Amino acid sequence: DKIADIGTDHGFVPNFIVNENISNYVISSDISENSLKKSIELTKEYNNEDKIKNRVGSGLKVLEVSEVDIAIIAGMGGLLISDIIKDSFDVAINLKKLILQPMQAKKDLRIFLYEQGFEIIDEAIIQDILEI
């Protein structure tokens, strides 16, 4: 599958996907050019420039309809994730799968997805324990 990592920041996820042979076509995007520079550097470090396309832009707007099969939107709030999907609904509804990881407003995101006709097919709760 072709995959997009929306809000990639450092580019860890796209490079993991390529290095683990999960996909050989990944679009890595971030709204901030400075954040995307980190992804570009990591992509070069791993020599993945031919498999990872780095793009500056807002949400799913960096994608054409049916350009990728899966979009990952992680590490932001549920309301922002809802807005990203709303703003590019034509792209979102043509995806095979959305992988979402809201940091807050999880219930609001679930309600939005249900109201828009999306189906949650799998869910996992991960607890990160920080020792100080």
Side-chain angles (χ1 to χ4, degrees), residues 120-132:
I120 298 173
I121 57 169
D122 194 11
E123 185 173 15
I125 297 173
I126 308 295
Q127 182 177 1
D128 187 14
I129 299 173
L130 178 64
E131 291 186 32
I132 299 176

Side-chain angles (χ1 to χ4, degrees), residues 24-132:
N24 63 3
Y25 185 93
V26 181
I27 296 173
S28 170
S29 77
D30 204 288
I31 196 167
S32 162
E33 191 169 341
N34 284 336
S35 290
L36 194 63
K37 283 180 185 178
K38 297 176 226 169
S39 178
I40 292 167
E41 290 170 8
L42 189 63
T43 300
K44 286 180 184 177
E45 181 181 325
Y46 283 115
N47 200 28
N48 288 331
E49 298 99 325
D50 59 328
K51 296 176 182 162
I52 298 173
K53 314 301 179 219
N54 287 283
R55 298 180 184 171
V56 175
S58 179
L60 298 171
K61 292 179 183 178
V62 299
L63 304 173
E64 298 292 327
V65 173
S66 300
E67 184 177 11
V68 297
D69 306 301
I70 298 169
I72 301 166
I73 308 174
M76 54 191 83
L79 297 176
L80 179 55
I81 293 171
S82 298
D83 287 343
I84 288 170
I85 294 169
K86 251 189 283 189
D87 289 346
S88 298
F89 197 74
D90 57 332
V91 172
I93 61 170
N94 282 289
L95 294 166
K96 285 185 194 175
K97 187 182 295 185
L98 279 163
I99 299 173
L100 309 174
Q101 187 257 321
M103 299 299 288
Q104 57 196 18
K106 296 164 190 70
K107 180 180 177 183
D108 297 305
L109 178 58
R110 282 188 187 93
I111 291 168
F112 167 78
L113 293 169
Y114 175 76
E115 289 174 345
Q116 299 306 312
F118 290 95
E119 179 184 2
I120 298 173
I121 57 169
D122 194 11
E123 185 173 15
I125 297 173
I126 308 295
Q127 182 177 1
D128 187 14
I129 299 173
L130 178 64
E131 291 186 32
I132 299 176

